[in-house]
Amino acid sequence: MNTSLFTFLSMLFFTGLVAAISWSFTRKAKDVGAHGYFMASGGLNGWFIAGSMMLTNLSIDQLVGLNGDSYAHNLSSMAWEATAAVSTIALALFFLPRYLRGGFSTLPEFIEKRYDVTTRRVVSGLMVATYTLVLNPASLYLGAITFNQIFDLQTILGWSYPATISLLIVSTGVIGAAYAVLGGLRAVAVSDTINGIGLLVVVILIPIIGLWTLGHGDVLSGAQTIMHDTPEKLNAIGGPQDKVPFGALFTGMIFANLFYWCTNQAIVQKSMAAKNLAEGQKGVLLSGCLKLLVPLAMLMPGVIAWHLFRDQPLANSDLAYPALVSALMPWWMKGFFVAVIFGTVMSHFNAIINGTATLLTYDFYKTLRPLADDEALVRFGKRVSILAALLSLVVAPLLMYAPEGIYAVLRRFTGFFNMPIIAIMLFGFFNARGGAFPAKLVLGLHAVCYAVFVLGLKIDVRLGISFIHVMGIMFAIEMLILIALRKRFARAQPYVAVASSRLMDLTPWRHAASFSYMLVAALVSIYLTFSPLGVASATGPSSWYAPLMASVWVLALVAANISRRRWRLRENAAKHTLTNCEVHS
């Protein structure tokens, strides 16, 4: 009881400290009106963008779900996270410049300009439903089971498991919603960044403590134990029997990650609030760099838990991470850990709430009441934030009855709408004539087919293929439909992107391309390391490992050098043109 009390009090201290710092930052900022509340007045720098994007993404469902997968299987599920680095490159170099040039506050704004208002509302409604009924409830539920495991609150209170989990869900949700409702996007971004620093410390510290325990006081000995005893658990190259076969990286996963990182309002809203394009690109690419820590931080604890608890297997793989923390974390650090996890749950929750309110305010309320002033927009945004939070609180306890790991459930349900949205977005960027009817047809057809064949009949199980491949097949079919109907249902006038009247520096970050090459090289290196050519082999790294690794980095360095030279040439040409203009004037 004394230890639990100390943990609880220290958690309150660290949580209060984050709140105080966030209040200090937001108090000094001059966020006025709807643009200030929903978009932080377009004033976020790269650090805040990276921190907020990461905390919106790296919620408790990754910590619990990914470690549960590695506990039960191997590292193949890291593909969902590590390969996101490629999607952050796409956001930084392709999508973000177009979003900022158009001055959009929501992604469906582009869809209305490119297609029509009905398509915009359908896409926005799908996002809102998923945020409220799936993503936020999952984050609250997984946070609750983690807190219960650490504090053993069920025993202390003497309540039933459902009642205890429901209490924790409501407590976390109420505090998280307060950030989003009272503070707006800037408060969310600041608290996310502070919590992100704490999360990095924790997620790196846990596997180190785990290896130290496994090696009886020697981290290297613990690592050798894993590599020698069960090297197959370190394999990130998933086979047909794994949840993420390696081939799925090149089918549905590419487009699932493109949707999540490039068209998902809750994620992209942070980069759209950048003070300029360069800061936005810095923040996005930095978040991609942080995603490459996933194999160490988000899956290795699950492998360690399997070794520590294999004599007494856990009842549920989703308990692997909470059980490991409860067993290994020193009592005097548990308060800090719980504060970080609490902040992670809260950050994800309030970011989703803020994104939901932005979508409902701009895509529904403002389009129906175009003359509404800023005060009315903010008031409506706060009201729908509260409603969205309450609905998530009602749904979250129901997830304790999910028949499979929660991470798999999340990924399966996001496939309900991600493929058609990324399909119509890409088609809209690359084709100026296709009309609105094919886009609406694809959205409706995908929802029906996915519900019937994937969620209902589970065709992936019947055919013995991953549902990720099914998503890739559906994406290809939907793109073919859009292309086939582009002339039959063409726009009267081709779509022309119109620059926003909002003043913003759209000069790219000079190191964006070279940094992107380094990210790709680091991603390939991680996959080489955690493969049968690397540490996932009983005989150790293959003779091919070192030459392949060297080749990857040589190519990346050459490409980065060429990119820097091209930038300097363009920069010198621009200066020369400016000088000539000054002379003539």
Side-chain angles (χ1 to χ4, degrees), residues 568-582:
R568 284 196 294 268
L569 288 173
R570 287 195 298 267
E571 198 173 42
N572 291 336
K575 289 179 181 178
H576 182 69
T577 303
L578 181 61
T579 302
N580 287 340
C581 291
E582 290 175 349

Side-chain angles (χ1 to χ4, degrees), residues 30 35 86 89-90 154 178 192 194 244 247 268 279 288 300 326 355 386 403 443 466 490 494 550 552 555:
K30 304 297 182 183
H35 187 60
V86 177
I89 294 171
Q154 183 181 352
D192 284 356
I194 301 167
V244 185
V268 180
E279 287 297 320
M300 197 58 69
S326 182
I386 294 172
L443 287 166
S466 170
V552 167
L555 289 172

Side-chain angles (χ1 to χ4, degrees), residues 321-354:
Y321 192 73
L324 186 70
V325 171
S326 182
L328 300 184
M329 181 68 73
W331 65 270
W332 49 270
M333 282 191 64
K334 281 188 178 180
F336 174 71
F337 172 81
V338 175
V340 168
I341 296 301
F342 183 76
T344 302
V345 175
M346 197 171 58
S347 293
H348 183 267
F349 183 75
N350 59 37
I352 296 292
I353 291 296
N354 187 268

Side-chain angles (χ1 to χ4, degrees), residues 267-344:
I267 291 290
V268 180
Q269 185 171 337
K270 296 6 178 238
S271 62
M272 292 166 68
K275 61 172 62 175
N276 54 51
L277 176 58
E279 287 297 320
Q281 289 178 325
K282 289 177 189 177
V284 169
L285 291 174
L286 179 58
S287 67
C289 184
L290 294 174
K291 291 295 288 183
L292 297 180
L293 293 174
V294 164
L296 171 66
M298 300 291 188
L299 288 104
M300 197 58 69
V303 177
I304 294 169
W306 185 87
H307 282 82
L308 290 176
F309 304 136
R310 57 181 167 180
D311 293 334
Q312 294 180 324
L314 299 172
N316 188 325
S317 62
D318 284 339
L319 296 175
Y321 192 73
L324 186 70
V325 171
S326 182
L328 300 184
M329 181 68 73
W331 65 270
W332 49 270
M333 282 191 64
K334 281 188 178 180
F336 174 71
F337 172 81
V338 175
V340 168
I341 296 301
F342 183 76
T344 302

Side-chain angles (χ1 to χ4, degrees), residues 25-41:
F25 270 93
T26 53
R27 179 176 60 87
K28 296 175 183 177
K30 304 297 182 183
D31 289 337
V32 179
H35 187 60
Y37 181 79
F38 293 107
M39 302 300 293
S41 300

